Amino acid sequence: MSLSILLVDDSDVNLKIASLMLKKLGYQMDIATNGIEAIEALEHHSYDIVLMDIQMPEMDGLEATKTIRRRGFQDPRIIVVTSLDNYREICLAAGADDYLTKPFGIEKLRKAIEDHMTILSVISSNSEEIAATFA
């Protein structure tokens, strides 16, 4: 399954590290440097997974996640990425699907993506079955 990933972070260093890990795992990604750019990207492209940093200028990741969900974007699985501990419940309440704490290694990133690939596969399968029922 080929995934469309949007990586959202304002730090050049974090973007470089995450991009290298994603490429090593075999994924391509688009990049946004704040929440506003992330929302604009979602308006022009469909993503399976959004890796969203919390602390960013212009619009932080929590506000961006809330806005994405309010605008009806239910498809992208949003994985919040932050160095802040104990923010899991806040991130999930904002509409995120998962939470990764920085720093994280490539195996933790791989597991998060694979977990969501499984969920996306089940959703896609169920959608196809429902469509076939009404065809």
Side-chain angles (χ1 to χ4, degrees):
M1 177 180 200
S2 176
L3 287 181
S4 181
I5 298 174
L6 177 62
L7 176 59
V8 187
D9 201 311
D10 64 312
S11 165
D12 289 339
V13 172
N14 291 342
L15 286 171
K16 183 75 170 171
I17 291 169
S19 294
L20 288 172
M21 283 195 271
L22 288 167
K23 286 178 184 175
K24 189 169 184 171
L25 292 170
Y27 299 114
Q28 299 287 327
M29 83 286 321
D30 290 336
I31 292 174
T33 59
N34 62 53
I36 294 170
E37 289 181 9
I39 292 166
E40 289 172 357
L42 282 164
E43 289 174 349
H44 300 308
H45 186 78
S46 177
Y47 293 96
D48 298 308
I49 294 179
V50 176
L51 295 169
M52 177 81 73
D53 184 38
I54 285 185
Q55 297 176 308
M56 296 181 290
E58 306 292 323
M59 179 185 283
D60 68 34
L62 289 177
E63 188 58 37
T65 299
K66 289 176 190 174
T67 301
I68 289 165
R69 296 305 190 213
R70 271 196 310 265
R71 290 190 180 179
F73 293 103
Q74 298 302 317
D75 289 341
R77 306 293 297 173
I78 299 175
I79 303 172
V80 172
V81 181
T82 183
S83 58
L84 302 172
D85 288 331
N86 302 319
Y87 254 61
R88 182 176 183 77
E89 295 307 316
I90 293 169
C91 295
L92 296 178
D97 298 291
D98 205 352
Y99 172 90
L100 280 176
T101 304
K102 295 183 218 176
F104 55 85
I106 193 166
E107 288 308 315
K108 193 170 182 180
L109 179 60
R110 177 195 319 265
K111 180 170 179 359
I113 291 171
E114 286 176 357
D115 288 350
H116 290 284
M117 284 175 53
T118 301
I119 292 167
L120 290 168
S121 178
V122 168
I123 291 170
S124 176
S125 205
N126 287 345
S127 295
E128 289 171 10
E129 288 175 20
I130 291 169
T133 301
F134 293 103

